[in-house]
Amino acid sequence: MATTSAPVYPANTPIPFDLFVSKKHRALPRGVLGFADSSGNIVFKVNRQDSKSSFSHAKAILLDSAGNPLISLYPHNDGSWQGFKGDDGDKNLIFKVQRVLTKFTRTELEVFLVSENQGQGELTCDFKVIGCHFQRSCTIYKGDSIVAQTSLMHKLRKICVSRSKFRLTMFPSLEDPSLVVALVVIFLFSGPKKFQVLDKIPISI
């Protein structure tokens, strides 16, 4: 009897690779943020739950298609985030994210990898995430190189573009795909709160 294996992201692919992001995937409960491949198979998903640690907000856990925890994301009151390996509480810190700008038309985040900043007096930014939360559009930079981008699903002859589903394009690199997806999740959750009431409004083009 044949078995169906879970979708696996092709790491270090020589060509760009798309994932489709939505809270309305048929394979997931409604409201659960999922990242699916072009065949509709869930590759990553996000579970939000109340934090029992010293952090003040609900954490988000990035899971693989089988439900295994990959990265736990903890927000802070000042807009910063921390990412920890797996779901073993606030241990095994992987990265820190600082929000340097939040406006309706532009959000900027700086990402600091713990492994790259150990023993350094001054932290060095490893990635930057720049984009517009309302348009579901962001670009992840490593230096001058583009690691990934998100964009809405524009269609010919459609005046309005839904923001409930958008595309994440990962470009060829050696970066861990789960790290890239985690940064996209933080970008989505870091939008200006006073404009979140507009999140369900489509964009006119």
Side-chain angles (χ1 to χ4, degrees), residues 146-178:
I146 295 178
V147 175
Q149 285 183 320
T150 63
S151 59
L152 290 173
M153 312 276 288
H154 292 278
K155 295 182 180 180
L156 292 174
R157 301 185 182 90
K158 283 200 69 173
I159 297 177
C160 294
V161 180
S162 171
R163 296 187 305 114
S164 63
K165 182 178 181 180
F166 60 96
R167 178 187 292 107
L168 165 61
T169 300
M170 298 191 194
F171 297 100
S173 74
L174 299 177
E175 307 309 328
D176 182 355
S178 63

Side-chain angles (χ1 to χ4, degrees), residues 84-111:
F84 296 87
K85 184 177 181 180
D87 186 23
D88 193 22
D90 46 340
K91 303 176 183 177
N92 298 319
L93 181 64
I94 303 173
F95 62 83
K96 300 178 180 180
V97 176
Q98 295 289 340
R99 187 173 61 190
V100 296
L101 179 65
T102 303
K103 294 184 177 180
F104 179 59
T105 58
R106 189 176 178 91
T107 296
E108 294 186 17
L109 308 173
E110 291 184 346
V111 184

Side-chain angles (χ1 to χ4, degrees), residues 33 35 46 60 62 73 180-190:
L33 184 65
F35 294 74
V46 180
L62 180 65
L73 305 172
V180 175
V181 171
L183 297 183
V184 172
V185 172
I186 291 175
F187 172 79
L188 292 175
F189 294 162
S190 296

